[in-house]
Amino acid sequence: MGILKTAIIGAAVYAGVKYITKKDPVTGQSIVDELLDRAPQWADKAKGYAEDLTSRASNAAEDLAR
């Protein structure tokens, strides 16, 4: 039963990797390529949210100290 389970999981992983790395005939990019292109934008947004959260936390701490 363990060998069958491992074979099924391996086949599913293989199919998933093939799917996300397959090139789109129209754009010529895969899902992985699109994710890598968008990653810097997402990192910049995350940094903005982190700075906003940090400033809110410091303001709240100052308000509590008063």
Side-chain angles (χ1 to χ4, degrees):
M1 189 67 168
I3 294 174
L4 180 62
K5 185 177 172 182
T6 304
I8 291 171
I9 292 172
V13 168
Y14 175 75
V17 168
K18 291 255 321 167
Y19 177 75
I20 65 171
T21 57
K22 182 179 178 183
K23 301 287 184 183
D24 184 23
V26 176
T27 62
Q29 287 190 328
S30 67
I31 294 173
V32 173
D33 293 336
E34 292 176 14
L35 289 174
L36 291 175
D37 288 344
R38 294 180 187 172
Q41 297 169 358
W42 293 338
D44 291 339
K45 282 185 181 180
K47 286 178 187 174
Y49 290 134
E51 290 172 359
D52 183 44
L53 183 62
T54 304
S55 67
R56 284 186 185 183
S58 65
N59 289 341
E62 289 175 3
D63 290 344
L64 288 175
R66 290 183 191 171

